[in-house]
Amino acid sequence: MSITPLMPVYPRCGVRPVRGEHCHLISEDGRRFLDFASGIAVNALGHSHPGLIGAIQKQAETLMHVSNLYGSPQGEVAAQRLVDLTFADTVFFTNSGAEAVECAIKTARAYHQSVGNDQKFELITFNNAFHGRTLATISASSQEKMHKGFLPLLPGFKYVEFNDLEAAKAAIGPNTAGFLVEPIQGEGGIRIATDEFLGGLRALCDEHDLMLVLDEVQSGVGRAGTLYAYEQYGITPDIMASAKGIGGGFPVGACLATEKAARGMVAGTHGSTYGGNPFAMAAIGAVLDVMSEETFMADVRAKGERLKARLEQFIGNYPDLFELVRGRGLFIGLKMKVEPRPFVAHMRDNHQLLTVSAGDNVVRIIPPLVIDDSHIDEFMEKLSAAAASYQPEDAA
Ligand SMILES: Cc1ncc(COP(=O)(O)O)c(C=O)c1O
């Protein structure tokens, strides 16, 4: 038998982390890595955060799991906190980002079906989007590489160009239920929606009674320098998917909605055995405690500006390698003029620096939100050394 016990769907690299210490990861062989990947925008509080550990430990000793057949004091507290902090009136908790997007898709369809518009089931989505790996969420993405081998796709999605408001408007038809969009595309390469685009989608939704569904699984929970990125656009969505940083490493997601948007999500329409599990609720509480500290978001924005300024100055030294820097908060993309994957591997294997590649030739720089200036210094040193020793023609 040649198949590995772990189903071989990931091309895993040689780094095998066994311990995390704040903004560093220690691998099985003892190497110490600076973690500017954060488990792909998950470890917002870094590794081994005492508040998060304490909350999960306390919950483990008290109550690990109960069914959603019972009342959930823990879920009510977490949902109320999210309602207080966002546009939403109600929250469904999931175990992952893809499930949060699934719930958002169902909520949008159910809204229209609950008002008798059964034909309005189609969501307009945007090229290079990433919404997860379930059948519905791969169907929501235009990326054919994710479809291969899994056809047929789920019907009900139409793809148009990101940031093209006219194309979005032209795509509206009798079946349109709404738009599903990332305010800042993560996997797509830290591509930022323009104010005109996101504001324009909101206006189209208002005009045609459509649902504006935001996927803030990656851009949310402080990553872009505000609790959610939509806050920077002066708009609010009808429905939003959140996950990743919201549990700080504990697997949890959430689908948030206004009362109007959630009108179809009545008893018996949706569910999840683990969704809203007391453990997950404890993790959310610990993350929100830290992020609600008065200066937390302003600090993320300031650190992001400092890091971006250092990067912008630095890339001028390597005009053949780097094209530009873009992003908000600590959601930063370094666009390369060469294929980024081998450079990400070079930084990792030769300079103990972890980053993640993304679409559009981008290296994602997504550190824990709790970095300080010493981590920015360490990052710049490692990046400089990696660029100086990099020979793209040698890359595999
Ligand atoms: C924008 C976005 N949506 C959804 C997902 C899916 O989340 P998960 O992998 O937790 O299912 C991701 C994951 O990268 C994402 O970036």
Side-chain angles (χ1 to χ4, degrees):
M1 199 188 298
S2 64
I3 195 162
T4 49
L6 268 182
M7 195 181 274
V9 293
Y10 281 105
R12 292 174 189 273
C13 70
V15 178
R16 297 164 63 82
V18 288
R19 208 170 66 248
E21 286 175 4
H22 195 43
C23 297
H24 291 85
L25 278 178
I26 292 90
S27 72
E28 208 175 42
D29 57 10
R31 283 179 299 161
R32 187 178 171 83
F33 294 83
L34 179 65
D35 185 6
F36 269 40
S38 308
I40 316 193
V42 168
N43 302 101
L45 307 186
H47 302 280
S48 59
H49 187 277
L52 185 56
I53 295 172
I56 292 173
Q57 274 178 346
K58 189 165 160 232
Q59 193 58 53
E61 287 163 8
T62 318
L63 181 67
M64 259 194 222
H65 175 79
V66 288
S67 165
N68 280 315
L69 293 174
Y70 308 116
S72 173
Q74 308 84 4
E76 284 164 12
V77 169
Q80 186 65 54
R81 285 187 81 172
L82 286 172
V83 164
D84 291 343
L85 289 165
T86 68
F87 73 97
D89 301 313
T90 190
V91 182
F92 181 87
F93 288 110
T94 66
N95 310 291
S96 68
E99 282 172 84
V101 179
E102 282 268 350
C103 179
I105 295 167
K106 287 180 75 175
T107 304
R109 287 189 175 188
Y111 166 74
H112 290 291
Q113 294 184 26
S114 76
V115 295
N117 288 328
D118 289 11
Q119 81 287 2
K120 292 192 178 223
F121 59 85
E122 191 172 75
L123 286 172
I124 296 168
T125 67
F126 297 92
N127 287 344
N128 299 313
F130 183 84
H131 297 297
R133 295 289 200 153
T134 64
L135 269 171
T137 54
I138 61 169
S139 304
S141 171
S142 65
Q143 297 191 49
E144 281 176 12
K145 63 178 188 224
M146 293 198 298
H147 301 162
K148 202 163 168 278
F150 302 112
L151 302 175
L153 298 179
L154 189 78
F157 299 98
K158 198 189 257 184
Y159 319 128
V160 303
E161 199 49 51
F162 185 67
N163 268 338
D164 186 340
L165 186 60
E166 282 312 308
K169 188 174 177 183
I172 296 174
N175 300 127
T176 307
F179 299 103
L180 167 60
V181 61
E182 295 159 89
I184 302 174
Q185 288 190 338
E187 304 296 313
I190 318 287
R191 293 166 78 216
I192 304 174
T194 62
D195 289 350
E196 297 70 35
F197 178 62
L198 217 54
L201 294 184
R202 178 67 271 172
L204 287 171
C205 288
D206 292 341
E207 192 183 331
H208 299 279
D209 192 25
L210 304 175
M211 293 284 109
L212 181 61
V213 185
L214 294 185
D215 181 345
E216 290 235 32
V217 167
Q218 194 158 158
S219 60
V221 199
R223 177 58 50 195
T226 44
L227 187 60
Y228 288 98
Y230 76 78
E231 296 165 38
Q232 298 174 33
Y233 289 87
I235 56 129
T236 55
D238 301 292
I239 304 168
M240 183 179 77
S242 181
K244 288 195 183 272
I246 202 170
F250 195 93
V252 54
C255 172
L256 295 82
T258 63
E259 183 170 13
K260 176 185 169 190
R263 59 168 283 155
M265 301 302 279
V266 297
T269 54
H270 196 51
S272 164
T273 296
Y274 291 122
N277 174 296
F279 256 152
M281 301 301 95
I284 289 183
V287 168
L288 291 180
D289 281 349
V290 175
M291 293 201 183
S292 304
E293 284 166 15
E294 209 181 319
T295 60
F296 187 89
M297 291 302 164
D299 286 348
V300 171
R301 291 193 290 276
K303 287 183 283 197
E305 285 310 314
R306 286 203 288 281
L307 179 50
K308 246 177 33 182
R310 299 268 303 261
L311 280 165
E312 265 152 13
Q313 203 180 24
F314 161 79
I315 62 171
N317 301 330
Y318 296 93
D320 296 338
L321 271 188
F322 304 114
E323 189 175 326
L324 53 86
V325 180
R326 64 185 175 215
R328 299 239 172 113
L330 288 168
F331 200 22
I332 298 175
L334 174 58
K335 185 165 156 70
M336 298 192 71
K337 289 186 179 162
V338 295
E339 164 62 32
R341 259 170 230 276
F343 185 63
V344 166
H346 171 68
M347 289 191 282
R348 180 190 70 218
D349 296 339
N350 301 318
H351 298 277
Q352 276 86 265
L353 173 59
L354 302 179
T355 56
V356 202
S357 60
D360 199 30
N361 275 357
V362 160
V363 176
R364 258 177 297 176
I365 298 164
I366 42 179
L369 304 183
V370 293
I371 53 166
D372 59 34
D373 283 342
S374 74
H375 301 109
I376 296 181
D377 290 344
E378 187 182 345
F379 171 77
M380 290 308 303
E381 276 162 31
K382 286 179 182 290
L383 176 66
S384 307
S389 62
Y390 190 56
Q391 301 194 323
E393 62 275 16
D394 296 342

